[in-house]
Amino acid sequence: MSARDDELRAFYTKYRIDDQLSFYTARRAECDRAAGQALAVSAVLLSLSSAASALGGVSSGWTTWWTALAAILPAASAAVAGYTQLYAFEKQAKLDGDAVRAVTAAARASGPSFTTIVERTEAAFRQEHAQWGQLTSGIDSAEPPKE
């Protein structure tokens, strides 16, 4: 291989593969954090709801407030769960993790020519794009009303 081929391989590796892998890795971590935070908030809200229910049953002065909180907090927890499902944090994290594994396997294969590595890597990127299409295909688009 010539020095020019080595430069091209280094350029492609740094600016295409490594850059994309760092994007997927950071995004996966972000989605994992978001899913964990939503789960924690939902658990806290449900715990507070249980406490409010218990206090509503034994308290004599604040019964109305505790009862209201016991009804409102589970609804807030359900809203957090709905938000989490709407943004599909767990599915996004899985897609990004799958993309990291596929691109890493394609790019780090020993033996094949640089052309083969590029073809395999770009095929992994195309597959990742196709998976995003599958994720979004379940979302109904809002169409304007027909006149």
Side-chain angles (χ1 to χ4, degrees):
M1 235 173 21
S2 71
R4 183 80 174 141
D5 292 338
D6 289 337
E7 288 176 10
L8 179 60
R9 181 184 287 242
F11 181 84
Y12 182 80
T13 300
K14 180 178 180 181
Y15 292 105
R16 179 67 170 146
I17 296 172
D18 294 343
D19 185 56
Q20 201 67 35
L21 287 175
S22 66
F23 169 78
Y24 289 140
T25 302
R27 214 177 117 98
R28 180 179 182 194
E30 181 181 348
C31 288
D32 284 339
R33 267 192 319 275
Q37 289 169 352
L39 182 63
V41 167
S42 184
V44 167
L45 288 172
L46 288 175
S47 298
L48 290 174
S49 173
S50 296
S53 296
L55 288 171
V58 297
S59 174
S60 60
W62 293 73
T63 305
T64 305
W65 288 102
W66 292 125
T67 305
L69 282 175
I72 293 170
L73 290 173
S77 177
V80 170
Y83 174 83
T84 303
Q85 289 301 313
L86 177 67
Y87 283 94
F89 293 124
E90 292 176 358
K91 289 179 183 177
Q92 288 185 40
K94 183 189 177 313
L95 286 177
D96 290 331
D98 291 347
V100 166
R101 283 187 291 282
V103 171
T104 300
R108 306 293 186 242
S110 60
S113 67
F114 178 61
T115 304
T116 305
I117 290 173
V118 170
E119 288 171 353
R120 288 180 183 175
T121 303
E122 294 303 319
F125 288 139
R126 282 191 301 277
Q127 180 182 6
E128 187 263 341
H129 282 240
Q131 288 176 343
W132 277 107
Q134 291 173 3
L135 177 67
T136 59
S137 67
I139 300 172
D140 294 331
S141 63
E143 295 183 23
K146 294 181 180 179
E147 295 177 13

